[in-house]
Amino acid sequence: MSSNTLPPQTEQERICKDALTNIKKAGFHMRKAIEDSNVKDSLKCATQMLSELRTSQLYPQKYYELYMETFDQLTPLETFLEEERSRGRSIGELYEMVQHAGNVLPRLYLMVSVGALYIRSGEAAPRDVLRDLVEMCKGVQHPTRGLFLRAFLCQRTRGVLPDSGGAYEGPGGSVIHSLEFLLANFTEMNKLWVRLQHQGTVRDKERRERERRQLQDLIGRNLAYMAQLEGLTFDLYKAQVLPRVLEQITSCRDALAQQYLLQALVQGFSDAFHLGTLPALLDVLPAMESGVKAHSVLAQLTDRLAKYAAGSPAALQRLLESRAREAFGAAVAGVVRAQPGIEPSEAVEMYVALMNFVVSVHAGDLAAADTVLEAAAATATAMAPRAGPLADDSKAEKQMVALLSLPVVKYGVLGTLRLTHYAPLMGLLKGETQRRLAVRICQGLLEAPTGSVSVVGSSSSSSSSSSSSSSSSAFASSSTTPSATEAKATTSSTSSLSSAGAANAGTTPTTTTPTTTTPTTTTPTTPTTPTTHGVDSAEKAGALFRLIRPLVVDPDSLDSTLDSEDLEEEQILVSRLLHAIGSQNPDTEFRILNVARAHLMAGGPKRLKTTLQALVCRGLILQRKLVAEIRLRRLLAKEARKMEVGVKEAGELREAGQVKEEGELRGEKEEGDRKEEEGQKEKEENEKEKEEEKKEEESGNDQTGEGEERSKASSEPTSSSPSSSSSSSSSSSSSPSTAPASSPALPQSPPLLPPINLTCPTLLRWLMATIEPLTSGSAAAPVAALRLLTQLALVASEEAGEELMALACFETAIAVFETSLTDQRSRAAAAIDLAAALERCFVFRPAIRNRLAVAVAAACGALLHAPDNVRALCAASLMYWQKPRGDLPLPLGPELGGAAAVTAAVALADVATDIFGGEAALPCTFELLKENGDVGSNTRNSNKSSSSSSRSSNIDSSDSSGYATTKNNACTERSREEGAVSISVVHPPVRDAIAVRNLLDRAVRVARLAKAVMVSTSGFGGAAINYVGLLLDVMARYQYFLEQLPAALDDEAVSSTSRST
């Protein structure tokens, strides 16, 4: 029957069942013959049993059932024939006997069974038997029958193959003959397996492919047995095995066979063999059929080689020397070129396998990873005209995400920033996928441990040294990025003013001003800032924002579909990221913020409302850092000047000591010369006397004895003079070698820090420009803009000393209050913020400050809601009664007005009585007064204040202004000495009790009017709590001034006494 006319499934079941019944019957009779030790009958029954395998009407799946049943039935026959050999029967005779079977298929099965025994008996050379069997099996060319016959041959001869060190190695065979046998059997089996796809009808193609996959292990056994041979060396594998296997793979032209055989080849043989023959193996990939999944083969091969390299340094060195990465890259490019119709997902998956290999083997080579990304981007771009955009293919996009995730996981975000082709490849994804990947990058950077961030391919270290001076500690504290700011970047830094103004209306919040101390002998060290997450340069910041661009700028097509909650979460993540980047150098950090602003400004209005607030807060942190750096450098410069003075004084002392030493040496030398001259003169006189004595002796003079005595007497000084001159000369010669006196040690100069180009005015103007989009336009956020402006005004006033910049901030904030704020609750909070900020500013001149105070008071009084109006006026009163700063004196003059404040406090009793309609509030009011003394004492204080005020009013205005100027100059000089950043005049606190009373009286009038309106509409009882709250606000404000009054009067008396003195 033709293979194309196989019976249906029901007929297949019947045929298989009948065949199994016949096999079992024949097997039963065969066992009976074995029990009777009848060789001929047993072989006859075995032949009948094996004849059932001659059928061609079964599919491979049903034929496999017959094969397994027959295989089990042949086991007793092989055991019986082995026993016959022990009884003296020759296996060669049996081998000849089974060849007389009538049919080819049963004959070959029996020959294989007896042939294995023939080799094991040693009666024949293994190479001859193996060659005979493999050649005889060519007689069966039916795909199904021939495939299972050769599988039976391979399995029965496995244990008798000649191998190095094996029992069957010798003159009759070697490992080479085993390889020849297995390769020949492999070639024939693969041909039969490929032909199996043509068996049956076209509609059964899927079933046949499924059955072929189930039979693929039969072919793979040949490769597995070859790989298990002990005698298989690299030379044999390279010269004989690999070329024939690759030839068979290439020539079969079947995608299923090529796919499986390549995988079996990769998985079967050792990694060292693959590494040595890698070019030959990879050259086959472009020649494969289009249905072959080359990415799967590459993934298996790269994974095996990567694990092999991780096993030992020697293997890694071999892998690097073989240039495996370049070979893999060329193979991938060759596959893409050879298969124009390859699916985008399969092409990208090959690059995923290549990237896996690169990040595992070339861990420190970022350029290699960048090369893979570049090739992947080029391939995806080239395939776009044919296969469409990559974003439209979900499978390809999934593989692309896997490719882009590998560098982030292996190298971290910092290493990924150095990959120049990462962002272009990321841009090929659709917008939603880009956002998810950008969120992953941000989270990876934020979750990375702070401190020294190790980047593959580069080493970085961070030094953490603490300074002994207070300026260093101030710098470290001011530059710290709080974790709360990262958690709530949009509200943490901007809500300080409103909380200070609303919650602490009776007390004035203090401004943190880093101070410096007098430098000690210890050399100041450079303060260190907390280490960031490694993004410490403008280039890295630019690369980071290019990667997270989907979180900063959305495509136009996705703006309408973006959920508001998701958008808010993304912007909070970006805001946290702004607080995670930075540098220890203010100039570098300013460039980083400039890069961040350039990218953030490209976002839409919804994003700017959140991100710009975080960026301004980050700039305010930089301002504090800049102030601390400037103070540190001034401290070091001051220390350096002290060191220069010390060096100069030490040099003068040294020069004075050298002059003195040279004078002493010169005097000693002159004294020695003088003594030497005297000794020479004495010597000459002695010689003259000796000559005279000789002349007298020659003339016969009788005074010989006297001459001798005189010569003896004159010889004594002659003998002594040379000794004295020699001693003097020796002393003079030894004196220069005497060590000079120890000079004072020179003080060591402090370390020099690099100059800072960034200035406070430049940074403040930059912050002002950053806030501007929030004040008006589509991105307007007036509440946040006003809070940021008030905070910036405080910084400009108290940290930078920039009056004009602080004035511009207040004017802009007041304009925003008047034009953009419509919600009454927001207006109330903003008014309190303005008043609290102005109360803490000391940089303004009186005229400018008065103009701003009037504008802020008008804003507080313009509130429509009575309780808000009262509270705002109470907060505004603080503008005229500033809490003194530690470095500023209290003012003197008629502006004190203590009596007016006491009078206003006493008048509060009338207001309280009028509001509550009785004397219920009087005890409370008098209790407030008793905290500063009884009513009589307050009256005395009032008289004292009045007399003081009258005395102060007699002072000439010119004297008063001159006194103020003197005080301001003194403050300015003290600020210069302490290393302040600005040289602007810092004015003393304002104390104007009359203005305070006017504002509080206005608050009382508002409360009284509110009472009248509410009583006339709803009655007093239901709204009593509102009036109690308003009254307590005003009373608390009065109490604060009453507490401040005695100290102010005492200061005035002391100052007046000192002035009169």
Side-chain angles (χ1 to χ4, degrees), residues 6-7 9 12-13 57-65 144 147-148 193 196-200 204-219 256:
L6 293 176
Q9 185 69 24
Q12 294 269 328
E13 295 287 344
Q57 299 180 2
L58 295 177
Y59 288 122
Q61 184 177 4
K62 294 298 182 182
Y63 192 89
Y64 179 72
E65 295 181 12
T144 305
L147 187 62
F148 280 96
W193 186 44
L196 196 62
Q197 63 180 323
H198 304 294
Q199 187 179 11
D204 294 336
K205 183 177 180 180
E206 293 183 1
R207 181 187 53 79
R208 289 198 305 271
E209 294 295 327
R210 183 173 61 254
E211 290 178 347
R212 286 186 64 200
R213 289 189 178 92
Q214 294 173 355
L215 298 175
Q216 63 188 8
D217 289 341
L218 299 179
I219 297 91
L256 178 61

Side-chain angles (χ1 to χ4, degrees), residues 498-572:
S498 62
S499 62
N504 300 325
T507 60
T508 306
T510 58
T511 304
T512 304
T513 56
T515 59
T516 58
T517 58
T518 303
T520 60
T521 56
T522 304
T523 302
T525 58
T526 305
T528 58
T529 58
T531 53
T532 60
H533 292 265
V535 185
D536 53 1
S537 66
E539 292 76 14
K540 292 182 181 179
L544 175 62
F545 278 97
R546 284 192 294 272
L547 293 185
I548 66 168
R549 180 177 174 80
L551 300 182
V552 179
V553 181
D554 274 336
D556 297 336
S557 59
L558 297 178
D559 284 341
S560 58
T561 61
L562 191 61
D563 185 73
S564 58
E565 294 183 359
D566 295 339
L567 177 63
E568 183 179 0
E569 291 179 359
E570 291 176 1
Q571 297 320 294
I572 291 177

Side-chain angles (χ1 to χ4, degrees), residues 1045-1057:
L1045 185 60
L1049 292 176
D1050 294 340
D1051 292 340
E1052 179 191 6
V1054 172
S1055 300
S1056 300
T1057 304

Side-chain angles (χ1 to χ4, degrees), residues 255-309:
L256 178 61
Q258 290 177 345
Q259 177 77 35
Y260 170 73
L261 293 179
L262 283 174
Q263 292 178 346
L265 181 65
V266 171
Q267 296 294 334
F269 294 93
S270 66
D271 301 327
F273 290 179
H274 293 322
L275 182 58
T277 59
L278 188 60
L281 184 59
L282 294 178
D283 289 342
V284 178
L285 293 179
M288 296 294 100
E289 296 295 317
S290 58
V292 177
K293 297 180 180 179
H295 59 84
S296 178
V297 178
L298 279 174
Q300 293 180 1
L301 184 57
T302 53
D303 288 345
R304 289 204 60 177
L305 291 181
K307 294 178 181 178
Y308 173 66

Side-chain angles (χ1 to χ4, degrees), residues 672-903:
D673 294 341
R674 186 179 59 79
K675 292 181 178 180
E676 186 177 358
E677 291 177 358
E678 292 179 355
Q680 188 68 21
K681 290 180 180 179
E682 292 180 357
K683 184 177 179 180
E684 292 177 354
E685 291 178 357
N686 292 333
E687 290 178 354
K688 290 181 179 180
E689 292 178 355
K690 288 180 180 180
E691 291 177 356
E692 291 178 355
E693 290 178 355
K694 289 180 180 180
K695 291 179 180 181
E696 291 178 356
E697 290 177 356
E698 291 175 357
S699 61
N701 194 348
D702 56 354
Q703 297 179 354
T704 307
E706 294 179 0
E708 292 177 356
E709 293 177 0
R710 190 163 47 250
S711 63
K712 290 180 180 180
S714 60
S715 63
E716 293 178 358
T718 304
S719 61
S720 62
S721 61
S723 63
S724 63
S725 64
S726 62
S727 63
S728 63
S729 63
S730 64
S731 62
S732 63
S733 62
S734 62
S735 59
S737 63
T738 304
S742 61
S743 60
L746 297 179
Q748 186 178 2
S749 300
L752 296 178
L753 298 179
I756 299 178
N757 299 322
L758 179 63
T759 60
C760 289
T762 301
L763 180 56
L764 293 174
R765 286 193 296 270
W766 183 86
L767 289 171
M768 189 70 176
T770 305
I771 299 174
E772 184 178 358
L774 299 176
T775 59
S776 60
S778 58
V783 176
L786 192 141
R787 288 180 176 176
L788 292 174
L789 286 169
T790 53
Q791 183 72 16
L792 183 59
L794 273 175
V795 171
S797 171
E798 300 308 299
E799 295 186 11
E802 294 291 334
E803 181 186 21
L804 295 180
M805 181 56 65
L807 176 62
C809 292
F810 271 110
E811 290 178 345
T812 307
I814 294 172
V816 170
F817 177 87
E818 294 175 350
T819 58
S820 301
L821 287 180
T822 57
D823 181 65
Q824 293 302 313
R825 183 173 298 178
S826 300
R827 287 175 63 86
I832 294 176
D833 286 347
L834 288 171
L838 185 57
E839 185 271 335
R840 295 164 63 186
C841 293
F842 294 87
V843 75
F844 294 116
R845 288 169 289 178
I848 296 177
R849 193 182 190 285
N850 184 54
R851 177 160 59 87
L852 292 176
V854 170
V856 173
C860 293
L863 299 176
L864 301 179
H865 194 230
D868 295 337
N869 198 339
V870 172
R871 294 185 179 92
L873 289 172
C874 292
S877 63
L878 282 175
M879 297 186 301
Y880 296 98
W881 196 275
Q882 287 182 295
K883 186 175 181 180
R885 243 170 55 173
D887 57 344
L888 298 178
L890 285 173
L892 292 177
E895 66 273 16
L896 186 60
V902 175
T903 303

Side-chain angles (χ1 to χ4, degrees), residues 216-261:
Q216 63 188 8
D217 289 341
L218 299 179
I219 297 91
R221 288 177 183 174
N222 295 278
L223 300 178
Y225 294 162
M226 279 188 283
Q228 293 172 3
L229 292 174
E230 295 293 337
L232 180 63
T233 62
F234 174 73
D235 295 333
L236 286 175
Y237 172 79
K238 183 178 180 180
Q240 297 186 18
V241 177
L242 183 63
R244 294 180 62 176
V245 172
L246 292 181
E247 180 185 0
Q248 183 60 34
I249 293 173
T250 307
S251 61
C252 69
R253 312 303 297 175
D254 180 65
L256 178 61
Q258 290 177 345
Q259 177 77 35
Y260 170 73
L261 293 179

Side-chain angles (χ1 to χ4, degrees), residues 82-251:
E82 181 70 21
E83 292 176 353
E84 286 296 316
R85 175 178 173 272
S86 62
R87 297 189 185 101
R89 196 177 188 107
S90 173
I91 300 299
E93 180 183 351
L94 294 175
Y95 188 71
E96 293 290 338
M97 184 183 298
V98 297
Q99 295 183 23
H100 294 285
N103 296 315
V104 175
L105 189 64
R107 182 194 313 156
L108 292 177
Y109 272 100
L110 291 176
M111 287 182 65
V112 170
S113 299
V114 178
L117 297 176
Y118 199 15
I119 297 174
R120 192 177 293 114
S121 66
E123 297 179 9
R127 65 173 182 272
D128 298 334
V129 177
L130 293 175
R131 184 172 58 252
D132 186 31
L133 292 176
V134 75
E135 291 296 330
M136 291 293 292
C137 287
K138 291 182 180 180
V140 180
Q141 292 297 320
H142 188 275
T144 305
R145 295 195 296 264
L147 187 62
F148 280 96
L149 173 62
R150 289 188 174 275
F152 182 77
L153 171 65
C154 181
Q155 188 170 3
R156 287 304 186 188
T157 57
R158 177 187 179 185
V160 295
L161 294 176
D163 193 8
S164 298
Y168 305 101
E169 183 186 21
S174 63
V175 67
I176 297 178
H177 299 96
S178 299
L179 291 175
E180 289 292 338
F181 167 76
L182 291 173
L183 285 172
N185 194 53
F186 162 75
T187 302
E188 295 298 328
M189 288 186 72
N190 185 54
K191 292 177 181 179
L192 294 172
W193 186 44
V194 173
R195 287 170 53 194
L196 196 62
Q197 63 180 323
H198 304 294
Q199 187 179 11
T201 60
V202 177
R203 61 187 176 185
D204 294 336
K205 183 177 180 180
E206 293 183 1
R207 181 187 53 79
R208 289 198 305 271
E209 294 295 327
R210 183 173 61 254
E211 290 178 347
R212 286 186 64 200
R213 289 189 178 92
Q214 294 173 355
L215 298 175
Q216 63 188 8
D217 289 341
L218 299 179
I219 297 91
R221 288 177 183 174
N222 295 278
L223 300 178
Y225 294 162
M226 279 188 283
Q228 293 172 3
L229 292 174
E230 295 293 337
L232 180 63
T233 62
F234 174 73
D235 295 333
L236 286 175
Y237 172 79
K238 183 178 180 180
Q240 297 186 18
V241 177
L242 183 63
R244 294 180 62 176
V245 172
L246 292 181
E247 180 185 0
Q248 183 60 34
I249 293 173
T250 307
S251 61

